[in-house]
Amino acid sequence: MAEEAVLGFLENNDEIRDSGEFAKEKGFGHQEIFNVIKSLNGFQFVVAQDIKKERWQLTNEGKTYAANGSPEFQLFMAVPPEGISREALQKRLGDSVFKIGCQQAIKSKWVEMGKSQVSRKVPHVNDNVKDLLVKINNGEALNQEDMNALKRRKLISSQVWTGYSVKKGPKYAPTRKKPATDLTRENLQSGEWKELEFKGYNFSAKGLPTEGGYLHPLLKVRRQMQMIFLQMGFEEMPTNNYVESSFWNFDALFQPQQHPARDSHDTFFLREPSTTRMLPEDYVERVKQIHESGGHGSRGYGYDWKREEANKNLLRTHTTAVSSRMLYALAKKPFEAKKYYSIDRVFRNEAVDRTHLAEFHQIEGLICDRGLSLGDLQGVLHDFFSRLGMSKLRFKPAYNPYTEPSMEIFGYHEGLKKWVEVGNSGMFRPEMLLPMGLPEDVSVIAWGLSLERPTMILYGYNNIRDLFGHKVDLGLIKKNPICRIGLWH
């Protein structure tokens, strides 16, 4: 009906000057006419020009005063000719009306406020504020002085009204035929297709998004890391057991039982089952010996090693626990050089912040062979990180309980234009390897880094909680770019 009214009016007239006035004359709501004109303009049936007018409307406070009267008028009417106490008047009006009414009534010299008594100073008053608000509500114009007074009291606010002026467009017709979107069998059989107007194709329109799964950024980078290890001839270690015993996680790595990392403040211990029942007893005895009194040229730690500490179950704090199991299994067979890697989840009882989580992913690589040296480790690290796009490396001496010598790895990030710490490395100590039964001339070089750090740098995340955990925005996972070769460029 609204569309027919607009097109029908333009059939006999040149222009609709104001869509607001037109809506009033024809008995339509302005929003309905507004939407029809917008649609007709889009199909070039009409040419619409915007009209903007500043209109004033009552605020919520202004609407209250227009209905009930201004606070000063309410206060004046509540004061009887003989006067009234301040307490009684405040109780009758309420705190808000009393406070505003007092200010305005005193300003207008309507009442006199004594210490305890309120009395009238004039016999009669007119509620000009209410009258002005009613006029504005009815669309009447006011002089600038009255408008300014109402604005100062925040009883009115400005509103920009938007409408249209309308003329015939290049495709004007008294009625609009809805264009057909499909050519049907019935159209062909009846011959109706000859008279149909078909909707034009929009070749710029996007099609429906394809439904399907999306790879998380961590999975993309993880896959890229896996491919680098495989290209370098590494085998993947089985890392499917999140729960590990303290023996494999700490003791087998020559980490003393009084080490701070073994405290409950740093490690998640299991309540049920709290202890393990399966450990290789002969190997346990050799580990106990190396801790208590040393051997193979080591003095050990010189303390009373406790089996009950080694039996405690925990969530593994590093994937090196898996490495210790793999090396022990390797020692039970005729020696064969091996390259192992793993990428999996580890758990630490850390305070959660923008760069730390209680669970994260660790990348670890190790090479077990005869006669390996620190130079071999540095050479492998240059090869590994160059495949990530980081060719400039520096090494800094560090301490780890189970590696000696140990090195922190720093790489120059071309994008960030600075040196960043990218991992840790070292050679496993003889106190770790020899009790396993590996030959004395066998060395193991190893290194590790987190998966989250390179992923955050690559994808521009500043907060690790945006990348991993329950606060991850699934929409970002759908929009993240394809992972590139050369993570550190």
Side-chain angles (χ1 to χ4, degrees):
M1 294 292 290
E3 182 174 303
E4 292 173 5
V6 171
L7 294 174
F9 183 86
L10 289 174
E11 187 176 9
N12 302 313
N13 298 274
D14 294 332
E15 182 182 11
I16 297 175
R17 294 186 179 181
D18 187 316
S19 58
E21 296 297 328
F22 180 79
K24 281 184 183 178
E25 291 174 8
K26 300 298 181 181
F28 295 101
H30 180 249
Q31 191 61 46
E32 185 180 3
I33 291 292
F34 184 92
N35 292 337
V36 164
I37 293 173
K38 191 174 181 180
S39 174
L40 291 171
N41 184 63
F43 287 95
Q44 298 184 320
F45 276 74
V46 300
V47 176
Q49 296 291 330
D50 289 342
I51 299 174
K52 292 187 177 180
K53 299 177 183 177
E54 186 181 41
R55 293 184 174 181
W56 293 93
Q57 62 180 6
L58 305 187
T59 62
N60 290 334
E61 187 178 4
K63 291 176 183 177
T64 302
Y65 297 170
N68 303 328
S70 65
E72 57 267 35
F73 184 77
Q74 292 182 57
L75 183 139
F76 181 85
M77 297 305 293
V79 176
E82 66 274 14
I84 188 173
S85 68
R86 294 174 68 107
E87 292 77 9
L89 182 59
Q90 184 171 357
K91 187 175 181 180
R92 181 179 296 181
L93 294 173
D95 294 339
S96 177
V97 173
F98 177 78
K99 181 180 179 181
I100 299 172
C102 284
Q103 293 172 351
Q104 297 298 327
I106 292 172
K107 184 178 179 181
S108 301
K109 298 180 180 180
W110 288 359
V111 297
E112 183 174 347
M113 305 292 291
K115 290 184 178 180
S116 59
Q117 193 78 0
V118 182
S119 57
R120 295 183 178 182
K121 293 183 73 173
V122 293
H124 302 286
V125 295
N126 294 320
D127 194 353
N128 293 327
V129 171
K130 178 180 178 179
D131 294 340
L132 293 173
L133 292 173
V134 170
K135 286 182 179 180
I136 287 181
N137 205 36
N138 293 334
E140 299 179 31
L142 302 182
N143 63 53
Q144 194 60 45
E145 184 180 352
D146 289 336
M147 293 290 291
N148 291 339
L150 295 176
K151 282 192 285 185
R152 281 195 298 270
R153 292 183 65 173
K154 297 181 180 179
L155 301 180
I156 58 175
S157 62
S158 174
Q159 181 189 38
V160 176
W161 177 88
T162 303
Y164 287 122
S165 65
V166 187
K167 294 182 179 179
K168 294 177 182 178
K171 295 184 179 179
Y172 171 79
T175 58
R176 175 165 61 161
K177 293 181 180 179
K178 188 175 181 180
T181 56
D182 292 302
L183 180 62
T184 66
R185 179 183 177 185
E186 289 75 16
N187 297 150
L188 295 171
Q189 288 178 335
S190 64
E192 186 183 5
W193 62 273
K194 298 176 183 177
E195 308 296 329
L196 284 177
E197 292 183 13
F198 290 95
K199 186 176 181 180
Y201 281 103
N202 181 1
F203 293 102
S204 301
K206 293 182 178 180
L208 291 173
T210 56
E211 294 297 329
Y214 297 86
L215 288 177
H216 192 283
L218 280 174
L219 294 179
K220 294 182 180 181
V221 178
R222 174 180 176 148
R223 181 58 180 163
Q224 189 170 354
M225 292 287 188
Q226 284 178 323
M227 294 307 298
I228 290 173
F229 276 116
L230 293 174
Q231 290 163 10
M232 294 176 67
F234 282 71
E235 301 175 37
E236 186 169 10
M237 293 185 282
T239 54
N240 52 321
N241 290 335
Y242 290 167
V243 175
E244 195 56 89
S245 68
S246 292
F247 177 80
W248 291 110
N249 197 82
F250 294 124
D251 295 277
L253 303 180
F254 196 56
Q255 191 158 332
Q257 293 185 338
Q258 65 270 26
H259 194 281
R262 301 183 67 157
D263 189 82
S264 60
H265 293 296
D266 295 289
T267 302
F268 292 109
F269 289 94
L270 264 66
R271 182 177 299 167
E272 184 66 33
S274 60
T275 59
T276 185
R277 299 178 183 175
M278 298 175 62
L279 290 175
E281 294 300 329
D282 57 335
Y283 178 43
V284 171
E285 190 59 34
R286 294 196 297 270
V287 169
K288 176 183 178 181
Q289 177 71 25
I290 202 77
H291 276 252
E292 290 185 340
S293 54
H296 311 290
S298 172
R299 293 185 300 175
Y301 291 115
Y303 71 98
D304 184 18
W305 187 86
K306 297 178 181 179
R307 176 64 181 266
E308 53 269 26
E309 282 293 324
N311 286 345
K312 289 181 179 178
N313 283 332
L314 48 80
L315 293 177
R316 66 182 179 211
T317 61
H318 47 197
T319 52
T320 316
V322 183
S323 302
S324 64
R325 283 181 176 271
M326 295 297 292
L327 291 172
Y328 174 69
L330 187 65
K332 293 169 69 175
K333 305 173 185 177
F335 179 72
E336 181 185 359
K338 286 288 185 180
K339 294 180 179 180
Y340 290 128
Y341 83 93
S342 65
I343 307 173
D344 214 331
R345 198 171 300 187
V346 296
F347 307 86
R348 294 181 189 173
N349 192 2
E350 293 186 344
V352 175
D353 58 29
R354 59 189 296 273
T355 57
H356 295 87
L357 289 177
E359 55 179 309
F360 56 96
H361 296 79
Q362 182 177 332
I363 303 166
E364 183 167 344
L366 67 89
I367 300 176
C368 178
D369 203 352
R370 299 182 189 273
L372 294 175
S373 67
L374 194 64
D376 294 308
L377 174 60
Q378 291 179 334
V380 171
L381 291 175
H382 274 287
D383 186 12
F384 177 80
F385 282 99
S386 67
R387 294 170 187 260
L388 297 177
M390 184 172 283
S391 56
K392 299 177 184 177
L393 295 183
R394 286 178 179 174
F395 304 99
K396 176 183 175 183
Y399 169 76
N400 286 314
Y402 46 90
T403 58
E404 180 62 40
S406 306
M407 303 183 300
E408 291 177 351
I409 312 165
F410 292 83
Y412 187 76
H413 193 291
E414 297 291 347
L416 300 178
K417 302 298 182 186
K418 66 177 182 179
W419 291 90
V420 294
E421 184 179 354
V422 294
N424 221 315
S425 65
M427 299 184 67
F428 284 152
R429 296 173 68 112
E431 296 96 326
M432 173 186 166
L433 300 179
L434 295 177
M436 293 177 174
L438 288 168
E440 290 192 9
D441 62 342
V442 169
S443 301
V444 178
I445 57 176
W447 71 98
L449 63 150
S450 77
L451 179 63
E452 281 76 7
R453 183 169 178 79
T455 306
M456 289 174 68
I457 293 174
L458 175 62
Y459 287 94
Y461 285 93
N462 294 317
N463 193 324
I464 193 171
R465 289 169 289 193
D466 295 332
L467 178 68
F468 185 58
H470 67 283
K471 293 186 177 181
V472 169
D473 181 359
L474 296 179
L476 292 178
I477 295 175
K478 295 180 179 180
K479 297 175 184 176
N480 66 67
I482 296 173
C483 188
R484 300 180 297 274
I485 297 295
L487 293 176
W488 301 90
H489 279 309

